[in-house]
Amino acid sequence: MKRIVVIGSVSMDLVVTTDKRPQAGETVIGQAFQTVPGGKGANQAVAAARLGGRVEMVGCVGSDEFGQRIRQNFEQNKVGTQHLRTIDGEVTGTAHIVLAEGDNSIVVVQSANKQVVFTEAELEQLIDDETLVLLQLEIPIATVEQVSAYCRARQIPVLLNPAPSQPLTDELLEHVTYVTPNEHECRDLFGDIPLDEVLRRYPNKLIVTEGVNGVRFFDGEMIQHVPAIRADVVDTTGAGDTFNGALAAALMEGSELREAVRFAVVASGLSVEGFGAQGGMPNRNDVMRRLERV
């Protein structure tokens, strides 16, 4: 079976729930606090594994309690950790999340995630011809560029989720097979150019998620729109990560792009009905049942 190798961030999410988002200089009373495993890389790995993918997580954790809990969580979700390194004397990355008014605000502290770097020999051990590589931007951008160039030279598919948003070179965009910004990240990447025009520049590569408005991409002939499903929203944290993990899982099964996007849209929609980035992530049976009703 083909593998999904997720090279990315691993962190612990520190989640506060409150009715009102505090303004600068303001203190508000929260209703709940939880610590749950997260990080965009880890979230996408768990999502892909729950949906049937054979997944290997590549990243770094600290030599602390958070790192130990994260390893246990990967094991419970059947995500491989052979290449998850523990950095002595470092702390595990954290994401500080405020849930308020139906949405979330997040501050990421990279910590051990800054140590995700490779030699050429290490990449040869990690990646082979039966691999799809899934990347995000919570690790050093130099690593993302290195891995993408390595894979492009060997015709190994790469799915890049360009989040959190930052400038990307034209060369990096050329090297990856798929790039999946949300509407805000797409605007950061391409400015005020109309979306349809940007999509036509990157046929079957640029896949833009638009929340409740679904997903759009250009298939080489026309703009394709895959609508979102109706969902009872509990927590939107991790919806984008679920989309990317699900898209990777569907593509590795051999699905055509529109079919894979549809699968990912349903998985993402289901994920917001549970609490936490990983807490609401559906399994394969959940998605297949919902697809029958779409």
Side-chain angles (χ1 to χ4, degrees), residues 36-198:
V36 291
K40 297 195 74 64
N43 291 342
Q44 293 176 19
V46 169
R50 288 189 187 174
L51 294 166
R54 178 186 167 210
V55 183
E56 182 74 26
M57 182 70 220
V58 181
C60 297
V61 294
S63 54
D64 53 13
E65 181 186 354
F66 284 168
Q68 295 171 11
R69 286 179 55 189
I70 284 168
R71 283 188 180 276
Q72 293 169 357
N73 183 66
F74 280 137
E75 292 171 5
Q76 292 168 0
N77 284 281
K78 299 180 180 179
V79 174
T81 58
Q82 180 182 355
H83 300 286
L84 181 65
R85 291 190 295 148
T86 297
I87 308 298
D88 291 337
E90 181 62 275
V91 297
T92 300
T94 53
H96 303 256
I97 302 171
V98 176
L99 300 179
E101 301 162 347
D103 212 333
N104 62 65
S105 300
I106 305 174
V107 177
V108 172
V109 183
Q110 288 181 298
S111 300
N113 291 308
K114 293 181 180 179
Q115 306 297 326
V116 183
V117 295
F118 306 102
T119 65
E120 185 90 356
E122 287 171 333
L123 287 180
E124 290 176 358
Q125 293 180 339
L126 289 173
I127 301 168
D128 58 34
D129 292 341
E130 295 297 305
T131 300
L132 179 146
V133 174
L134 182 50
L135 294 166
Q136 321 77 31
L137 300 180
E138 288 180 342
I139 59 174
I141 188 64
T143 299
V144 174
E145 293 172 342
Q146 176 197 17
V147 172
S148 299
Y150 177 92
C151 292
R152 174 62 180 267
R154 292 157 180 79
Q155 297 184 321
I156 295 166
V158 174
L159 195 166
L160 171 64
N161 177 221
S165 183
Q166 62 178 283
L168 303 180
T169 65
D170 291 340
E171 185 178 35
L172 176 56
L173 290 173
E174 180 183 341
H175 286 166
V176 300
T177 316
Y178 309 100
V179 58
T180 57
N182 64 26
E183 55 197 313
H184 307 294
E185 293 152 358
C186 187
R187 194 173 302 115
D188 289 342
L189 284 173
F190 302 108
D192 294 327
I193 302 172
L195 178 57
D196 283 7
E197 181 179 337
V198 175

Side-chain angles (χ1 to χ4, degrees), residues 230-253:
R230 291 190 178 188
D232 297 322
V233 178
V234 173
D235 180 4
T236 59
T237 309
D241 294 334
T242 302
F243 176 88
N244 282 279
L247 183 63
L251 289 169
M252 286 303 280
E253 287 186 350

